[in-house]
Amino acid sequence: GTSPTEKYAASIGDFVYVGGGFRFVDPQAFLALSTAPPLRIRVSGDAALKNLSHKVAPLYPNEARANRLQGAVVLHVVIGTDGSIREIEPVSGDPVLLKAAIAAVQQWKYKPMLVNDNAAEVDTTVRIDFRL
């Protein structure tokens, strides 16, 4: 303003104090943060199992049963903020058993994992043992 007796509010932008000085923050940074993907945390397979609310057992493949094939299948899984399976990647196991394990795990449902009262995605592993 031009009057010494009147005060005018003016905004010149947003600043943060970093490393002993103020730094300008581009407004686009706040926009990018507001649309950032949800937090993803890594937990052990055992810890994730504690939140499992709906489990579907895998069907033993006929081919594996005929060949008396047994073993463990390990899958890398990302659980969404709503508790559903978002991503599955095979880590190890026989390809015949892998298909059955993936088909079953895709139907699993977990209770949402909370971090600071916000739902977080969970990065974990699932192990399924196939035994005759």
Side-chain angles (χ1 to χ4, degrees):
T2 57
S3 170
T5 59
E6 294 184 42
K7 298 192 185 224
Y8 298 90
S11 174
I12 58 172
D14 295 308
F15 292 81
V16 293
Y17 188 77
V18 178
F22 287 95
R23 306 286 189 258
F24 175 74
V25 179
D26 188 328
Q28 293 299 317
F30 291 116
L31 179 62
L33 288 173
S34 68
T35 59
L39 172 70
R40 183 178 289 182
I41 59 172
R42 176 95 174 113
V43 300
S44 70
D46 291 336
L49 275 177
K50 293 177 184 174
N51 284 339
L52 185 60
S53 61
H54 177 73
K55 181 177 183 178
V56 175
L59 298 174
Y60 216 110
N62 290 334
E63 180 183 347
R65 190 179 301 279
N67 293 326
R68 307 212 29 92
L69 183 63
Q70 301 184 88
V73 170
V74 178
L75 304 171
H76 173 249
V77 175
V78 174
I79 304 165
T81 56
D82 63 349
S84 64
I85 303 298
R86 288 203 45 231
E87 299 173 24
I88 298 179
E89 296 175 11
V91 174
S92 64
D94 186 276
V96 175
L97 299 176
L98 274 170
K99 288 180 186 177
I102 289 171
V105 172
Q106 284 176 332
Q107 301 174 63
W108 288 13
K109 188 80 172 168
Y110 289 82
K111 291 182 253 175
M113 179 84 60
L114 300 178
V115 176
N116 296 330
D117 294 329
N118 294 316
E121 290 185 341
V122 176
D123 183 323
T124 189
T125 55
V126 172
R127 177 187 168 105
I128 298 179
D129 292 311
F130 287 87
R131 301 278 175 243
L132 290 173

